[in-house]
Amino acid sequence: MTVDVLRRPAPAERQARAAVAVLFFTNGALFANLLPRYPQIKADLGIGNAAYGLAVAAFPTGAVAAGLAAGVLVRRLGSARVAVAGTLLTGVGVLAAGLAESVLVFAASLFLAGAMDAITDVAQNAHGLRVQRRYGRSIINSLHAIWSIGAVTGGSMAAAAIALGLSRGEHLLISAVVFAIAACVALRFCLPGPDTEPAGEGTDADDREPRRQRPTAALRTGYVLAALVLIATAGTLVEDAGNSWAALYLSDSLNASVTLAATGYIALVGAQFVGRLLGDRLVDRFGQRAVARAGGLVAAAGMGLALAVPTVPGTILGFAAAGLGVATLVPAAMHEADELPGLKPGSGLTIVSWLMRLGFLLSPPVVGLVADATSLRLGLLVVPLAGLLVLLLAGVLQPRRR
């Protein structure tokens, strides 16, 4: 009975969960407001595909360049403050990119937006995991599902702004101001105090402070951290396959119509959203390890079968299986990394978040090179291979709680 009372969230903790959900929502929506404007920006700047590709790559480059600073900032300023400050500066970068009158300014603005987005990502996940520790059960997957809702909302806002004839400046200024206000209001309801929880507030203080480890323990921590990076990267590789290649594979390789080809990406993102909505309950019931293994199997089998027997309906279902399978991987890797012993608070989470972004940066050219040398069908084998990698490494995740 005492345990049940302790695990029932207090009103302040429920408010903190809602507040961090707002931060996830705004993070998903801000950059999504810019993406539908890319074709217009490319045309207005008068640049070719090569220059455009290099300019757009400034966003993940900024994320990689700044990602490691997030842990230090979280420890010094607190995760909630860093998340809100990062949100405000991401909005500035997005607005500047929309107003850019040269390729150099466009790329520099995207670099700033990517850098701030990476810092925001680490900080909001750190605060979400802090709230999760207070709850005593998994909530991180639902927060990532809210990020997906934010991304869809941002894209819809951009589509509406274009339909209404709003200029990029007007549209992106409205977006930046609205989400800045939302983030600042959310800050008032986030958990107060430092991110290192004192004993008796959801965790043991000794587990949150870095301690000197024996060499064998340090090696174990290093191995687990490397495995978590690979698990998270597997999730990002599958996501990028849907973002970058689903429509192209369906239209060019399988001769689907343009409208039908778009459903490959929609199926992946939609299934991923459903998986994240269900993920917390599944993790609480079966454990991170079992859920990740089942997801890896679903992704590998579903997409592997779709590539082995290529049809349009089968491929769409294959992308849906892939999205469902990887839905909980990134949240799981972040959670486990944040709990690793022997590391400063936020360090494991920062390393995983930073290195997994290399998947977004390196995946498109790698798949493209394989596609040019052989076929896009073979290039997309990265999806079932990522699922098999998760099956191999999921043992580092936590089993079901007894």
Side-chain angles (χ1 to χ4, degrees), residues 135-220:
Y135 264 66
R137 58 183 172 83
S138 179
I139 63 169
I140 193 66
N141 290 290
S142 65
L143 295 176
H144 281 255
I146 290 170
W147 184 96
S148 299
I149 296 174
V152 173
T153 301
S156 301
M157 286 174 62
I162 293 170
L164 293 171
L166 292 179
S167 68
R168 290 198 301 273
E170 293 170 334
H171 157 219
L172 295 174
L173 178 60
I174 292 171
S175 169
V177 170
V178 166
F179 294 123
I181 292 172
C184 290
V185 172
L187 179 60
R188 296 185 57 191
F189 299 97
C190 289
L191 294 176
D195 280 67
T196 303
E197 297 280 5
E201 292 191 16
T203 189
D204 187 345
D206 291 338
D207 292 336
R208 301 300 301 157
E209 292 294 336
R211 293 176 293 183
R212 182 173 296 178
Q213 293 180 298
R214 295 178 180 179
T216 53
L219 286 174
R220 167 67 180 171

Side-chain angles (χ1 to χ4, degrees), residues 50-151:
Y52 169 75
L54 289 173
V56 170
F59 186 89
T61 303
V64 171
L68 285 179
V72 176
L73 292 172
V74 166
R75 287 192 295 274
R76 290 185 178 179
L77 303 175
S79 55
R81 290 179 180 177
V82 172
V84 172
T87 298
L88 301 183
L89 291 173
T90 300
V92 171
V94 168
L95 176 60
L99 295 174
E101 296 183 355
S102 71
V103 180
L104 183 61
V105 174
F106 179 57
S109 301
L110 287 180
F111 184 92
L112 171 64
M116 294 303 102
D117 178 77
I119 291 173
T120 303
D121 185 45
V122 172
Q124 68 187 12
N125 275 284
H127 204 77
L129 290 169
R130 184 182 172 195
V131 175
Q132 178 172 280
R133 287 191 290 273
R134 295 285 193 94
Y135 264 66
R137 58 183 172 83
S138 179
I139 63 169
I140 193 66
N141 290 290
S142 65
L143 295 176
H144 281 255
I146 290 170
W147 184 96
S148 299
I149 296 174

Side-chain angles (χ1 to χ4, degrees), residues 2 15 23 37 63 75 97 149 151 174 190 192 215 228 236 279 308 339 381:
T2 304
Q15 290 177 352
L23 296 179
R37 294 287 192 169
R75 287 192 295 274
I149 296 174
I174 292 171
C190 289
L228 293 174
T236 62
E339 299 290 330
L381 282 174

Side-chain angles (χ1 to χ4, degrees), residues 234 237-238 241 307 363 367 377-387:
L237 287 174
V238 174
L307 293 172
S363 175
V367 174
R377 181 182 172 192
L378 287 179
L380 286 174
L381 282 174
V382 67
V383 175
L385 289 176

